[in-house]
Amino acid sequence: MTAHTVLRIDSSARHQDSVSRRLTDQVIERLAPETVVTRDLSNTLPLIDEAWIGANFTPADKRSPEQRETLALSDSLIDELKAADTLVIGLPIYNFAAPTTFKAWVDLVARAGVTFRYSEAGPEGLLTGKRAILVVTSGGTAVGSEIDFASGYVKHVLSFIGITDIEVVTADRLAVDPEGTVNKAEEQVARLAA
């Protein structure tokens, strides 16, 4: 599957010496997309609040100008998702979970009637036909272990909104063997289908 448009999502608080950013660079280089849209979550997103919830649950044709403005960033983030063929997500594990900035992004893009809908069969994701590559890094948490509350969460959220073609590049337990861990992750990147 060729990636024409990649949405790159960085969630590391680090810019210098960030392993997730460096590996995400390599994934992008491997995919060689026509277009890359970058969303850096380290610049913090607002948390949803009562005004946001009120605007979100007001029917679109009945929203006030203030409510439309309240949802403008959420709409923009969702437009980025819709336009992308592939998501490349740099996901460091902080204290066993995804960074709070990533959770803030999820809260802004997981919207009933927009990115998923409820049906008689249960929730149905609306962003189908996309690929996601997670670049998961950690200092000591083994990805997929019982103390990893990040990678499973992100896979579930993506599937919930319709993105089920998910691959994981793992650079976990960097505090134990940084060089070996990065080398293994780079091998995984090299095996990714462009």
Side-chain angles (χ1 to χ4, degrees):
M1 176 180 190
T2 302
H4 300 290
T5 300
V6 166
L7 173 58
R8 173 186 178 147
I9 300 172
D10 287 305
S11 60
S12 176
R14 288 179 162 184
H15 288 264
Q16 297 292 326
D17 302 321
S18 167
V19 175
S20 68
R21 288 177 188 270
R22 186 173 40 158
L23 290 170
T24 299
D25 286 342
Q26 293 176 21
V27 171
I28 299 291
E29 185 178 315
R30 172 84 179 140
L31 298 178
E34 293 173 9
T35 305
V36 178
V37 174
T38 299
R39 177 57 66 174
D40 189 340
L41 304 182
S42 72
N43 297 326
T44 65
L45 294 174
L47 301 179
I48 62 171
D49 58 14
E50 188 171 5
W52 189 94
I53 292 170
N56 185 48
F57 286 100
T58 298
D61 61 343
K62 298 195 181 341
R63 288 181 188 139
S64 69
E66 294 79 17
Q67 287 177 318
R68 286 194 293 277
E69 180 61 30
T70 297
L71 293 176
L73 175 60
S74 172
D75 291 338
S76 176
L77 296 172
I78 290 168
D79 287 345
E80 289 175 353
L81 270 171
K82 288 180 176 178
D85 302 302
T86 301
L87 280 69
V88 178
I89 300 173
L91 184 73
I93 296 177
Y94 291 166
N95 298 314
F96 315 107
T100 56
T101 54
F102 188 84
K103 174 63 165 72
W105 178 83
V106 168
D107 288 343
L108 291 168
V109 301
R111 286 175 52 194
V114 183
T115 56
F116 71 93
R117 68 177 169 216
Y118 293 108
S119 69
E120 289 183 12
E124 177 188 350
L126 301 176
L127 301 181
T128 58
K130 299 179 186 300
R131 175 187 187 193
I133 301 169
L134 306 182
V135 178
V136 185
T137 61
S138 79
T141 301
V143 172
S145 71
E146 63 185 20
I147 61 170
D148 168 15
F149 299 100
S151 63
Y153 165 74
V154 175
K155 288 192 268 187
H156 176 77
V157 165
L158 293 175
S159 295
F160 187 78
I161 62 174
I163 303 168
T164 57
D165 179 2
I166 302 169
E167 298 165 88
V168 180
V169 172
T170 304
D172 58 356
R173 307 192 73 223
L174 286 159
V176 177
D177 179 13
E179 186 176 335
T181 297
V182 169
N183 288 342
K184 287 179 189 171
E186 288 175 340
E187 291 169 8
Q188 293 171 46
V189 171
R191 290 193 300 269
L192 288 172

